[in-house]
């Protein structure tokens, strides 16, 4: 089986979709699938299976797809609202090559409402044809599947979550590896946020909630670590909020962390917080749980399994709810440990790349055989 993955941009420094695609490619390769990646641009290709990634602008990508798409059994498109994805879908349809598309959370209600003035007409006049004619739409969660159904698309939807390599989190570096590099975090219990610094991620909720607790005399022995890239200039707004709330001494910005330093940050963290307004399916939450770090997430993270497994707390998009959740855990070390153990168990049982890519290979096989029997098609 030969499968072409098409993604607008692949940059391993950005995390998110750029982190997921290489893992999918690696896992599928181990499952015996021949994988190639086509993209308009890629950076930091550190793994062998990325050596076939194509570079260039939309015109050169289009020409390459036109010449080569028929050499693949199936095409897997990643993201929506991108000309490269629309073009790839159109070419695949013309050449009669089946394709699936993974929106990566970009079709949820919050994302569609954000800049709706351009997304609404693009979805109606351009992207709907790509989605309607897909052999399958890949949802990461049951919640995302429901949101996709709400768009009344013709294509069937299957569910396969993202995963991680749990072995990477079983023998973490010492916490001091992180705190020695960031002295302001020494001798503190740490709230860790790890993700893009973006309005969508709800960092303002975290800063406001933490500041409220500090003003009430709680959490003086806790600090906040903000780890992630600033791609849209939003960090300046968060830094201004930190100053306004007078918690500068407690908040540390690290930029994006990777490799040993990311693992060390997870080792040093006592609680992971992702207060997103909208989320596809966060790899960072999985990594935190694999490292036995309890989590607080919002309902918008689409991860109800966290609550069912008692691996953390799920809240609404609200700073007061976050403040209450933090207050309940700040002095409860035994509960933090219990949640951490539960989260690690959950990830090991259900959210590994080996399981996810095996399920994805089965869905590919279903499509090529004209059937829908793999469990991913029917998961509710």
């Amino acid at each position: 089986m030969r499968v072409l993955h098409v993604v607008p941009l692949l940059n391993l420094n950005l995390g998110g979709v750029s982190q997921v695609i290489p893992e999918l490619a690696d896992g599928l390769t181990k499952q015996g699938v021949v994988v190639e990646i086509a993209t308009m641009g890629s950076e930091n290709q550190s793994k062998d299976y990325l050596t076939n990634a194509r570079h260039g602008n939309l015109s050169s990508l289009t020409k390459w797809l036109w010449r080569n798409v028929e050499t693949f059994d199936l095409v897997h498109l990643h993201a929506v609202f991108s000309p490269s994805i629309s073009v790839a879908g159109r070419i695949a349809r013309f050449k009669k090559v089946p394709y699936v598309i993974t929106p990566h959370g970009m079709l949820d209600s919050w994302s569609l409402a954000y800049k709706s003035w351009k997304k609404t007409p693009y979805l109606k006049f351009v992207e709907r044809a790509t989605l309607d004619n897909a052999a399958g739409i890949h949802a990461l969660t049951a919640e995302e599947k429901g949101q996709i159904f709400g768009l009344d698309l013709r294509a069937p939807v299957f569910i396969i979550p993202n995963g991680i390599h749990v072995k990477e989190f079983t023998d973490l570096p010492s916490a001091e590896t992180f705190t020695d590099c960031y002295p302001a975090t020494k001798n503190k219990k740490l709230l860790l946020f790890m993700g893009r610094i973006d309005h969508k991620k709800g960092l303002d909720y975290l800063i406001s909630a933490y500041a409220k607790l500090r003003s009430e005399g709680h959490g003086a022995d806790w600090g906040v670590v903000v780890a992630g890239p600033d791609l849209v200039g939003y960090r300046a707004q968060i830094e201004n909020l930190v100053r306004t709330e007078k918690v500068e001494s407690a908040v540390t910005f690290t930029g994006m962390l990777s490799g040993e330093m990311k693992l060390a940050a997870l080792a040093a963290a006592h609680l992971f917080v992702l207060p997103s307004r909208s989320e596809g399916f966060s790899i960072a939450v999985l990594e935190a749980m694999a490292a036995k770090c309890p989590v607080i997430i919002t309902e918008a993270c689409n991860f109800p399994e966290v609550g069912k497994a008692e691996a953390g707390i799920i809240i609404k998009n609200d700073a007061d709810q976050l403040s209450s959740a933090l207050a309940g855990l700040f002095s409860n070390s035994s509960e933090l440990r219990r949640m951490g153990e539960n989260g690690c168990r959950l990830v090991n049982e259900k959210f590994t790349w080996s399981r996810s890519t095996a399920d994805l290979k089965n869905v590919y096989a279903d499509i090529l055989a004209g059937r829908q029997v793999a469990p991913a098609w029917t998961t509710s």
Side-chain angles (χ1 to χ4, degrees):
M1 185 189 304
R2 285 174 51 82
V3 178
L4 174 68
H5 288 254
V6 182
V7 58
L9 175 66
L10 195 63
N11 186 336
L12 300 186
N13 282 339
L14 302 183
V17 177
S18 287
Q19 180 181 354
V20 168
I21 306 306
E23 296 294 356
L24 285 177
D26 189 37
L28 288 168
T29 298
K30 292 174 180 175
Q31 300 285 341
V33 179
V34 177
V35 176
E36 188 161 342
I37 300 171
T39 179
M40 286 194 296
S42 61
E43 298 179 23
N44 307 301
Q45 297 181 50
S46 60
K47 296 186 178 181
D48 291 342
Y49 51 80
L50 294 182
T51 55
N52 291 328
R54 304 287 166 173
H55 302 269
N57 54 29
L58 180 60
S59 176
S60 62
L61 176 63
T62 300
K63 292 176 182 177
W64 185 90
L65 287 169
W66 183 261
R67 292 193 303 267
N68 293 279
V69 75
E70 287 174 292
T71 66
F72 296 91
D73 299 302
L74 184 140
V75 176
H76 193 147
L77 308 177
H78 295 272
V80 290
F81 303 118
S82 169
S84 60
I85 297 303
S86 303
V87 167
R90 192 175 298 119
I91 291 173
R93 292 196 298 275
F94 186 86
K95 299 281 189 175
K96 299 188 181 338
V97 178
Y99 65 87
V100 300
I101 182 166
T102 306
H104 293 282
M106 297 177 188
L107 292 178
D108 73 15
S109 56
W110 189 93
S111 292
L112 290 176
Y114 182 68
K115 296 185 179 179
S116 61
W117 59 270
K118 64 178 180 180
K119 287 182 179 178
T120 299
Y122 195 92
L123 178 61
K124 181 177 181 180
F125 296 111
V126 180
E127 207 73 290
R128 190 171 189 94
T130 308
L131 293 161
D132 274 341
N133 291 283
I137 301 175
H138 173 198
L140 300 172
T141 67
E143 288 73 18
E144 185 181 15
K145 180 179 180 179
Q147 291 168 338
I148 293 171
F149 275 163
L151 298 175
D152 196 27
L153 300 171
R154 293 201 306 264
V157 184
F158 61 93
I159 304 173
I160 298 175
N162 289 329
I164 60 170
H165 300 294
V166 293
K167 288 184 179 179
E168 295 178 5
F169 302 89
T170 57
D171 188 17
L172 297 173
S174 68
E176 287 73 23
T177 301
F178 178 79
T179 58
D180 286 348
C181 189
Y182 299 96
T185 65
K186 280 185 174 293
N187 302 316
K188 291 180 180 177
K189 297 177 181 178
L190 298 180
L191 296 173
L192 176 62
F193 168 91
M194 191 175 288
R196 287 182 290 114
I197 300 178
D198 190 295
H199 174 72
K200 172 181 175 179
K201 297 292 185 177
L203 257 174
D204 51 323
Y205 293 143
L206 175 55
I207 300 303
S208 297
Y210 176 75
K212 179 177 184 290
L213 289 173
R214 288 295 295 267
S215 70
E216 295 171 350
H218 305 295
D221 56 338
W222 285 75
V224 177
V225 173
V226 178
D230 178 24
L231 306 179
V232 295
Y234 186 64
R235 174 170 166 170
Q237 295 183 49
I238 294 299
E239 289 177 330
N240 184 59
L241 179 61
V242 168
R243 287 190 294 270
T244 301
E245 297 284 10
K246 297 180 172 55
V247 290
E248 300 99 312
S249 63
V251 180
T252 301
F253 292 86
T254 68
M256 182 167 177
L257 300 177
S258 60
E260 183 183 31
M261 193 56 67
K262 178 177 77 172
L263 296 175
L266 290 169
H270 292 73
L271 183 58
F272 181 93
V273 184
L274 184 62
S276 281
R277 293 176 166 89
S278 172
E279 197 72 36
F281 191 76
S282 173
I283 294 291
V285 172
L286 293 179
E287 291 176 338
M289 291 195 297
K292 297 185 178 181
C293 186
V295 303
I296 297 177
I297 60 175
T298 56
E299 293 174 347
C301 289
N302 299 317
F303 203 170
E305 292 88 347
V306 165
K308 294 173 184 175
E310 299 184 1
I313 297 175
I314 301 176
I315 61 170
K316 295 186 181 298
N317 298 81
D318 181 82
D320 287 337
Q321 279 207 16
L322 179 53
S323 178
S324 296
L326 291 173
L329 294 175
F330 269 174
S331 59
N332 198 337
S333 297
S334 61
E335 181 66 358
L336 290 172
R337 283 193 299 271
R338 187 182 73 86
M339 287 181 170
E341 294 288 345
N342 290 343
C344 184
R345 189 179 307 113
L346 173 64
V347 173
N348 273 273
E349 290 175 354
K350 295 186 177 181
F351 299 101
T352 64
W353 278 126
S354 59
R355 175 172 176 164
S356 294
T357 53
D359 289 345
L360 187 56
K361 180 185 176 182
N362 288 336
V363 167
Y364 291 165
D366 277 358
I367 289 170
L368 296 177
R371 66 192 181 207
Q372 291 180 13
V373 298
W377 294 105
T378 56
T379 301
S380 60

